[in-house]
């Protein structure tokens, strides 16, 4: 799983346009400054724009942009291909000697970027740090793990406390870095991926170079630069001018710019944008959202088709359930809840909130997310729920979300494991060691029981049925409200050949410059 920022959308209004123009000019000046300093973009370098910057070089920090960029530098034991099938990565072979033991044999001849050989003790230490470090945001992948050890020089053994059908999938999320602390890794980032770090400015540019140029496909970039333009309009200008080669662009770009100088590529994507709700009963004060009738009223009061239309340009992206259609665990038989403000008002009155109440809605501090926040606030105000939108910097929003310190907030969820079980583990299971790390306060013994059964079951039909019961539980108990599905829409400049991945990662080795063909 990776946390995603809220959806992008083109800014509206003259004031927003003027601000975007100013910021775009500053961004262009920054690139020009790089050129004057000798960092001219060579023909063999691809420039990739993310909506949010790379926040850390420590791969246990799993924000979507950071994870995507660092996937070029560090490798997991196993990875996903474009069909979301598990394939070898740093491990070439894996096996289950029994239902609670996993063994991974490392790829023969694998080396770190400094030329030293990769050994099982190095990998076991990296996994243990990801598992135990209090700051690790991928610790949930180890929720069932009892021990990690080197079984010789080339084999890593993981023992679990119980059968865990998710473990292999979860290992795709854990990138292997050498180093004992985040500070050491950021000071000297050493991985085994196709690119190595050349320069990084926290909150700014990340520059990579090929670790072993001779091992790359002929047409693959020899250098990669990740940048963060100051908003969607600046991104589009940078694509149009050729300053950026590949960038996420607002879906509305397809409508507003029918003939751009760059190509537009789209994938359905695996991201659902969600309104998260703290459902806890709080000593000394009333939390209206602790009452399921209030939460159901929220769902009835939100016109999710209209929110999707405003956010991504089309009502068909409204999310009637959190789990996308392409993800294992989606329930196609689940009937959508209709938009019914009158019924919402009746439920609020029944719950003792006939006069409504006030609350704060936290969200990322950018114009597209503010647009969604205003739409949600406007719809809920019509039934008496008065929301005050409160923007936060992305890094601060992540910190408070991780600490469980946000009563009501907007944030996306990327289903990059292709399996809904990890989503339910993180969002519905009670917060404990390795579980419920994104749970905003929901408690349900039934949810815990269903997840426990699904995670221990290797038979696909039974697991599917258990996950679909969790889909229905979410609709009934409303621990959060799925709003819309975020399509992956990319602008690609004329000198790059590339096809987006369903998991949204931007892997430079899969791109081709000039007339070359991208690697599959």
């Amino acid at each position: 799983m990776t946390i995603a920022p809220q959806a992008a959308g083109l800014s509206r209004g003259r004031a927003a346009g003027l601000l975007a123009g100013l910021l775009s000019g500053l961004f262009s000046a920054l690139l020009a400054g790089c050129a004057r300093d000798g960092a001219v973009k060579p023909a063999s370098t691809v420039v990739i724009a993310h909506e949010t910057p790379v926040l850390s070089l420590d791969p246990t920090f799993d924000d979507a942009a950071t994870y995507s960029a660092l996937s070029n530098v560090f490798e997991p034991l196993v990875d996903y291909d474009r069909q979301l099938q598990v394939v070898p990565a740093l491990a070439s072979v894996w096996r289950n000697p029994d239902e609670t033991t996993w063994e991974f044999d490392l790829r023969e001849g694998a080396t770190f970027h400094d030329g030293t050989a990769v050994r099982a003790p190095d990998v076991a230490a990296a996994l243990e740090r990801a598992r135990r470090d209090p700051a690790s945001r991928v610790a949930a992948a180890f929720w069932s793990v009892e021990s990690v050890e080197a079984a010789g020089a080339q084999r890593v053994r993981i023992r679990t406390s119980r059968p865990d059908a998710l473990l292999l999938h979860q290992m795709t999320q854990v990138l292997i870095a050498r180093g004992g602390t985040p500070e050491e890794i950021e000071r000297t980032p050493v991985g085994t991926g196709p690119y190595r770090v050349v320069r990084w400015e926290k909150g700014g540019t990340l520059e990579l170079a090929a670790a072993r140029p001779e091992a790359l496909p002929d047409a693959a970039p020899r250098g990669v630069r990740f940048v963060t333009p100051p908003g969607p309009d600046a991104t589009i200008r940078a694509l149009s001018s050729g300053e950026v080669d590949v960038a996420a662009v607002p879906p509305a770009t397809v409508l507003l710019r029918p003939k751009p100088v760059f190509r537009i590529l789209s994938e359905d994507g695996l991201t659902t944008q969600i309104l998260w709700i703290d459902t806890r009963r709080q000593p000394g004060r009333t939390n209206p959202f602790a009452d399921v009738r209030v939460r159901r009223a929220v769902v009835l009061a939100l016109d999710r088709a209209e929110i999707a239309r405003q956010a991504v340009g089309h009502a068909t992206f409204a999310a009637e359930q959190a789990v996308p259609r392409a993800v294992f665990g989606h329930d196609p038989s689940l009937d959508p809840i209709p938009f019914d403000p009158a019924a919402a008002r009746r439920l609020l009155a029944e719950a003792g909130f006939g006069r409504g109440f006030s609350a704060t809605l936290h969200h990322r501090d950018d114009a597209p997310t503010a647009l969604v926040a205003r739409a949600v606030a406007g719809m809920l105000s019509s039934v008496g729920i008065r929301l005050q939108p409160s923007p936060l910097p992305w890094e601060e929003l992540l910190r408070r979300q991780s600490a469980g310190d946000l009563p009501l907030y907007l944030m996306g969820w990327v289903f990059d494991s292709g399996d809904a079980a990890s989503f339910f583990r993180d969002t519905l299971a009670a917060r404990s060691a390795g579980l419920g790390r994104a749970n905003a306060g929901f408690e349900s013994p039934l949810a815990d029981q269903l997840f426990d059964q699904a995670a221990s079951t290797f038979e696909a039909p039974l697991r599917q049925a258990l996950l679909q019961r969790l889909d229905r539980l979410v609709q009934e108990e409303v621990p959060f409200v799925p709003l819309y599905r975020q399509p992956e829409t990319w602008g690609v400049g004329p000198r790059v050949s590339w096809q987006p991945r369903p998991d949204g990662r931007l892997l430079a080795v899969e791109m081709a410059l000039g007339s070359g063909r991208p690697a599959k």
Side-chain angles (χ1 to χ4, degrees):
M1 173 301 289
T2 43
I3 298 290
Q6 198 67 23
L10 291 179
S11 61
R12 290 168 170 78
R14 182 172 179 271
L18 289 172
L19 178 60
L22 174 61
L23 293 175
S24 179
L26 292 173
F27 176 67
S28 297
L30 175 61
L31 289 180
C34 289
R36 286 193 297 272
D37 290 339
V40 179
K41 181 182 73 176
S44 61
T45 295
V46 65
V47 180
I48 299 172
H50 273 303
E51 294 175 87
T52 55
V54 175
L55 298 175
S56 175
L57 294 183
D58 178 3
T60 68
F61 192 96
D62 74 338
D63 135 84
T66 301
Y67 171 68
S68 175
L70 295 186
S71 292
N72 291 275
V73 178
F74 306 103
E75 293 179 282
L77 285 172
V78 293
D79 207 349
Y80 284 127
D81 64 14
R82 288 176 168 273
Q83 287 71 47
L84 297 180
Q85 299 300 307
V86 177
V87 295
L90 191 53
S92 57
V93 177
W94 58 91
R95 65 184 65 82
N96 283 105
D98 57 65
E99 62 182 9
T100 60
T101 303
W102 296 77
E103 292 182 344
F104 299 86
D105 290 352
L106 302 181
R107 186 175 67 234
E108 186 176 352
T111 60
F112 287 107
H113 293 155
D114 62 2
T116 59
V118 176
R119 298 293 184 229
D122 302 317
V123 176
L127 293 172
E128 275 291 270
R129 190 183 76 84
R131 174 188 173 213
R132 294 183 178 276
D133 190 327
S136 171
R137 292 181 60 91
V138 296
F142 299 89
W143 71 279
S144 68
V145 172
E146 203 167 62
S147 65
V148 179
E149 62 183 2
Q154 292 298 112
R155 179 173 295 171
V156 174
R157 181 178 295 128
I158 298 177
R159 297 189 190 277
T160 61
S161 60
R162 43 170 289 169
D164 183 2
L166 295 177
L167 187 129
L168 193 62
H169 293 274
Q170 291 304 292
M171 288 302 101
T172 67
Q173 309 297 306
V174 184
L175 303 177
I176 303 300
R178 196 176 67 192
T181 65
E183 295 75 20
E184 181 182 351
I185 292 170
E186 291 191 345
R187 187 169 56 251
T188 311
V190 180
T192 61
Y195 296 90
R196 58 180 176 81
V197 175
V198 174
R199 184 174 68 91
W200 174 60
E201 301 167 358
K202 186 169 185 177
T205 300
L206 171 65
E207 292 189 8
L208 310 178
R212 291 170 289 276
E214 71 282 357
L216 292 178
D218 290 343
R222 266 45 187 172
V224 189
R225 186 182 305 149
F226 289 95
V227 298
T228 310
D233 296 318
T235 299
I236 290 170
R237 290 190 179 94
L239 277 165
S240 300
S241 68
E243 293 171 333
V244 163
D245 296 304
V246 178
V249 296
T253 305
V254 179
L255 303 175
L256 298 180
R257 292 176 174 264
K259 294 182 180 179
V261 297
F262 52 87
R263 305 190 313 283
I264 296 173
L265 305 178
S266 292
E267 286 278 339
D268 284 346
L270 299 174
T271 300
T272 302
Q273 300 293 345
I274 296 173
L275 173 65
W276 302 89
I277 304 172
D278 185 346
T279 65
R280 291 173 290 189
R281 298 189 182 277
Q282 299 163 351
R285 68 185 186 89
T286 300
N287 176 15
F289 297 113
D291 192 316
V292 69
R293 293 169 294 185
V294 173
R295 304 197 298 271
R296 289 172 181 166
V298 169
V299 179
L300 290 165
L302 291 176
D303 185 347
R304 287 181 276 185
E306 175 59 21
I307 292 172
R309 188 193 66 76
Q310 292 190 35
V312 297
H314 208 290
T316 57
F317 286 99
E320 303 300 345
Q321 58 183 292
V323 180
R325 294 185 186 94
V327 172
F328 185 82
H330 174 84
D331 187 353
S333 69
L334 200 61
D335 292 329
I337 296 176
F339 171 53
D340 191 342
R345 284 188 283 270
R346 288 194 296 272
L347 277 175
L348 287 172
E350 182 183 317
F353 296 99
R355 295 185 177 182
F357 60 89
S358 300
T360 301
L361 174 62
H362 295 285
H363 62 86
R364 179 185 164 201
D365 62 346
D366 67 352
T369 314
L371 175 70
V372 175
R374 288 195 299 271
V376 169
M379 292 173 188
L380 292 184
S381 69
S382 71
V383 300
I385 301 176
R386 299 173 294 277
L387 296 185
Q388 177 60 50
S390 176
L392 293 172
W394 178 236
E395 194 167 4
E396 173 68 6
L397 190 69
L398 285 176
R399 186 192 65 77
R400 292 186 60 181
Q401 181 268 344
S402 182
D405 185 32
L406 292 171
L408 193 70
Y409 63 100
L410 295 170
M411 189 177 285
W413 191 276
V414 185
F415 288 79
D416 46 10
S417 74
D419 189 301
S422 58
F423 169 71
F424 291 130
R425 176 201 63 206
D426 289 346
T427 62
L428 295 185
R431 284 201 178 216
S432 60
L435 296 173
R437 73 179 187 87
N439 187 331
F442 182 68
E443 294 183 3
S444 167
L446 177 58
D448 292 340
Q449 177 187 345
L450 290 172
F451 164 73
D452 191 68
Q453 292 174 355
S456 300
T457 302
F458 286 82
E459 294 80 9
L462 180 54
R463 287 190 70 242
Q464 178 88 308
L466 290 165
L467 294 174
Q468 290 175 344
R469 287 186 64 188
L470 285 166
D471 291 327
R472 290 189 286 276
L473 183 145
V474 167
Q475 190 178 74
E476 293 164 4
E477 297 295 326
V478 199
F480 46 78
V481 183
L483 297 177
Y484 60 94
R485 291 177 290 109
Q486 175 69 45
E488 302 284 355
T489 308
W490 307 96
V492 182
R495 71 191 198 102
V496 176
S497 297
W498 174 67
Q499 285 298 318
R501 296 174 58 93
D503 60 12
R505 283 188 297 164
L506 295 167
L507 303 182
V509 75
E510 296 181 350
M511 301 176 183
L513 295 174
S515 58
R517 297 174 64 85
K520 295 183 179 179

